[in-house]
Amino acid sequence: PEMLGSVALRFALADAFVRVRDWKALEEMLRRGSWDRAESLRLAFQAKVSRETGDAAGFEKNWGAAVESAESDPERLKVLQTIAFQWNWPEKATAILWTLAEKKETEKEALQALYNYYASARDTLGLHRTLTRLIGLLPNDLTVKNNFAQISLLLKAEPARALAVARQVHEAEPQNAAFASTYAFGLFQNGDVEGALKVMSSLTPDQLKDPSVAAYYGVVLAGAGRKPEAARYLDEAGKAKLLPEEERLIAAARAILTPPKPYSGT
């Protein structure tokens, strides 16, 4: 029957074999029948068999062939990247997203997906790479500009440009706490501690208690020598989901607050 030969049915059956981890049955099924325009899917499932059975060369060969087969069709590439994420192959999935980011019709969607992935993975370098593209694509988006400035400052990448962007964003929305904390951090990193404190003091007490804002305020306060206040805000920062570079900033600030133990040599 025509329905039994459909790609949808083949996909459902292949997926079922993956779920029960029956690689022999899956491989046998992949040898039979035609997948027509969904050949990229068949190759992807063959890559899964290779990966799960220890055939590293076969995995790379079949996955590469799957991507090549779908190269001209953004929709098929999207399916492959979805499968790659489901199978916990983030490097393969993000590689496809970067390919999609080179296509005008899928650029924005792909870059936003990459941003979400790198944020979830706490991959600061990946975020910077993505934001460098997004700020060019969305030059008037204040949130994108702020995030670009923040990540650039954390990585000390183009610090002068990052500070200038942070200043522009803060001046556009001076009461936005996230924008203020980025600009204050830029000033602090540039040696202007008083300027950083002035920017942060323009925020309300409730805004300053926001864990992600408190993290930067605590760092600035510690650098200014205001230790009791700094300790309070650094404690609030413990509730935030921080990037590794931010965690290191917090650790360095806490080290300032903790006096060195006296040496007791023998």
Side-chain angles (χ1 to χ4, degrees):
E2 183 179 349
M3 185 177 69
L4 292 178
S6 70
V7 171
L9 184 59
R10 288 179 182 277
F11 177 85
L13 186 57
D15 190 52
F17 286 138
V18 168
R19 291 177 187 276
V20 298
R21 302 181 64 80
D22 191 339
W23 310 121
K24 183 178 180 180
L26 176 55
E27 189 164 31
E28 288 176 356
M29 192 208 91
L30 293 172
R31 293 197 188 106
R32 298 195 302 269
S34 171
W35 288 62
D36 194 30
R37 291 184 67 252
E39 175 65 6
S40 58
L41 272 178
R42 188 191 71 79
L43 290 164
F45 278 110
Q46 188 60 60
K48 178 67 170 173
V49 172
S50 299
R51 179 69 173 260
E52 296 293 341
T53 56
D55 181 5
F59 165 64
E60 294 294 344
K61 177 183 176 181
N62 284 303
W63 183 257
V67 174
E68 184 178 355
S69 176
E71 190 80 36
S72 62
D73 188 338
E75 292 306 315
R76 285 191 287 167
L77 284 174
K78 288 179 187 178
V79 171
L80 287 182
Q81 67 90 13
T82 299
I83 287 174
F85 273 129
Q86 288 176 346
W87 291 344
N88 197 29
W89 300 346
E91 290 184 5
K92 301 300 185 187
T94 53
I96 292 177
L97 284 173
W98 280 112
T99 296
L100 288 167
E102 296 304 318
K103 301 178 184 293
K104 189 174 182 179
E105 67 272 27
T106 53
E107 181 182 15
K108 182 178 177 181
E109 180 185 359
L111 288 171
Q112 289 176 332
L114 284 164
Y115 179 87
N116 291 337
Y117 168 71
Y118 290 130
S120 177
R122 301 195 320 139
D123 184 335
T124 318
L125 287 172
L127 284 171
H128 185 259
R129 180 184 175 190
T130 306
L131 287 163
T132 299
R133 287 284 302 277
L134 277 172
I135 198 173
L137 184 66
L138 305 169
N140 298 317
D141 188 312
L142 293 180
T143 298
V144 168
K145 292 175 74 171
N146 176 71
N147 292 343
F148 168 80
Q150 177 196 20
I151 298 301
S152 297
L153 289 167
L154 284 171
L155 293 174
K156 298 182 179 179
E158 297 183 274
R161 180 191 177 193
L163 180 58
V165 172
R167 181 185 296 110
Q168 292 170 6
V169 171
H170 173 61
E171 289 175 351
E173 289 188 18
Q175 293 308 309
N176 184 305
F179 297 173
S181 63
T182 297
Y183 181 43
F185 177 58
L187 292 172
F188 174 77
Q189 200 176 63
N190 204 47
D192 186 359
V193 178
E194 289 305 314
L197 287 170
K198 183 177 179 181
V199 170
M200 295 301 287
S201 66
S202 68
L203 299 177
T204 68
D206 284 344
Q207 286 178 311
L208 291 171
K209 288 179 183 177
D210 179 280
S212 58
V213 175
Y216 287 94
Y217 193 31
V219 167
V220 172
L221 288 168
R226 291 164 56 174
K227 295 184 178 182
E229 292 173 89
R232 187 165 68 251
Y233 284 101
L234 291 175
D235 286 342
E236 286 292 331
K239 303 172 186 176
K241 183 179 179 180
L242 302 173
L243 293 167
E245 290 78 6
E246 292 174 317
E247 290 177 343
R248 289 194 282 272
L249 281 173
I250 298 295
R254 288 192 181 280
I256 294 174
L257 306 183
T258 306
K261 293 181 180 179
Y263 174 71
S264 55
T266 56

